[in-house]
Each structure stands twice: as structure tokens, then as C-alpha cells.
Amino acid sequence: MQILPGPPAKQAARDAARDELLIKELSERFGRTKRLNGTDLRVEVFRSHAILIGRTKDFSQKTAALAIAEEVNGLADVVDYISVEAPEAAPVTEGSVAVK
């Protein structure tokens, strides 16, 4: 196995500063939208690659979070580690029929 060297120190510092700005921008956008209320999302950025981690209540919130991230200028890629909460099962009563 060969391990490649990282970027020079100055470049690494610039990358880290740019990543921090991207985290701030994305976090602010998430905070401004009411569509993401009730979610538990965390944002990380490494070398301009956004990593979204957490849970949403439904797929529309997950889709919204990914769409917002895709719109941020400067991101090279968005990695999705968002899970969707399982819907609460409806109580089954006598005579009810499950429909799919």
C-alpha cells in the first residue's frame, strides 16, 4: 500500500479555511429553511466535499437537504449519510386491512 503525501502546508491551510466557509454557508442555509424543522443533521466538509450526516422525519426533508447542498457554490460533491425515520405504524384494529 502506498500512502500519498498531502498538499503543502499553505495549500492545506487554504483548503481548511475554504471548508470552514462552506460549512458555515451550508449550515446557515439549512437553518433558514423551515422545510428542515425537526431534523437532526450535521454537516462536515473536507476538501470541498460536503458530508451530510443525520436523520430526517421523511424523504421530502432528505431531498430538500440534498438539494440545498447541491446549490452551494464551491462544493465539489455531496455525500449522503442521511437516514429517514421509519414512519410510525398505524394501529391495527380488528377488521382493518393493510393496503400497500
Side-chain angles (χ1 to χ4, degrees):
M1 178 170 98
Q2 180 181 6
I3 298 176
L4 300 175
K10 285 184 181 181
Q11 181 64 40
R14 282 192 296 265
D15 288 349
R18 183 177 55 242
D19 290 347
E20 285 299 318
L21 290 173
L22 290 169
I23 289 172
K24 183 179 177 188
E25 172 69 21
L26 190 49
S27 296
E28 287 175 356
R29 286 185 186 206
F30 280 177
R32 285 193 304 256
T33 182
K34 292 181 182 183
R35 291 168 43 189
L36 298 180
N37 285 349
T39 62
D40 179 21
L41 296 175
R42 190 172 106 212
V43 177
E44 296 292 334
V45 177
F46 180 73
R47 292 189 179 170
S48 299
H49 296 268
I51 304 162
L52 307 182
I53 305 163
R55 296 179 68 83
T56 60
K57 291 181 178 182
D58 54 44
F59 282 100
S60 66
Q61 286 184 319
K62 178 177 179 168
T63 302
L66 294 170
I68 291 167
E70 290 288 346
E71 293 174 354
V72 174
N73 289 329
L75 287 177
D77 190 23
V78 177
V79 180
D80 170 18
Y81 286 107
I82 300 173
S83 61
V84 177
E85 292 178 11
E88 292 185 25
V92 177
T93 59
E94 187 175 330
S96 65
V97 177
V99 179
K100 190 171 189 180

